Amino acid sequence: MTISYLPCVCLTEIGIGLMGFGSFFLFFGVLLYFDSVLLAFGNILFLNGLTFIIGFKRTAHFFFQRHKFRGSFFFLGGVSLVLCRWPIIGLLVESYGFVLLFRSFFPMALGFVLSAVNIPFLNAFISSSTSMV
C-alpha cells in the first residue's frame, strides 16, 4: 500500500536537502566576494534539487515553455557564465532570468507572506480589494 509512495517521499526529501545546500553555497559564494566555485556548486545543487522535487519531465517542461524561453535562456545562460568563472556577470544574468521565470509566482508568494505575517497596513496598501475594517 505505501510501497509506491515511499520512493517519491524519499526523492522529495533528497531534493529539499539539495536545494537547501544549494542555497547555502549560493549565499556563502556571494558572501565571500562572488567565489565562482561556491556559486557554481550552489547552482548545480539547486537545479538538481528542483529536478528531484518535481521530476525531470516537469522541470524540462517548466524551463522550455514557449512563453518562458527568454527567462530560461537568461537563467541557464547565467548558470553557464558562473560555471565559466564569470561569477558577477553570471549572477546578474541569472537574477534577471530568475525574475522573468518566476514573476507569476511573486504575487502569490507576497500574498502568502502577508497572510502569514498579517500586517494590516501593508496588507491594505498592497491589495486594494480588502478593507481595513
Side-chain angles (χ1 to χ4, degrees):
M1 166 166 104
T2 60
I3 294 172
S4 64
Y5 182 68
L6 284 177
C8 183
V9 171
C10 291
L11 289 179
T12 303
E13 290 174 356
I14 291 170
I16 291 172
L18 287 173
M19 287 185 78
F21 279 120
S23 300
F24 174 78
F25 281 112
L26 284 171
F27 175 72
F28 275 106
V30 170
L31 194 65
L32 296 173
Y33 301 112
F34 296 98
D35 184 27
S36 60
V37 175
L38 288 174
L39 291 173
F41 199 60
N43 280 330
I44 291 170
L45 286 176
F46 193 83
L47 289 175
N48 283 332
L50 182 69
T51 305
F52 268 76
I53 289 175
I54 66 174
F56 184 75
K57 188 175 182 181
R58 287 185 181 173
T59 303
H61 178 66
F62 175 77
F63 279 111
F64 299 115
Q65 292 177 2
R66 188 181 253 333
H67 65 281
K68 293 184 179 180
F69 178 73
R70 191 172 69 170
S72 299
F73 177 75
F74 279 106
F75 183 76
L76 297 174
V79 170
S80 64
L81 283 174
V82 169
L83 289 173
C84 292
R85 297 191 181 257
W86 289 9
I88 296 173
I89 297 170
L91 266 181
L92 289 174
V93 171
E94 184 179 341
S95 299
Y96 178 67
F98 182 83
V99 169
L100 288 179
L101 277 174
F102 295 105
R103 66 180 161 195
S104 62
F105 295 121
F106 290 144
M108 182 175 50
L110 184 64
F112 176 74
V113 168
L114 288 178
S115 69
V117 175
N118 198 10
I119 301 172
F121 176 73
L122 287 179
N123 205 3
F125 181 72
I126 292 177
S127 66
S128 61
S129 64
T130 61
S131 65
M132 291 184 66
V133 178

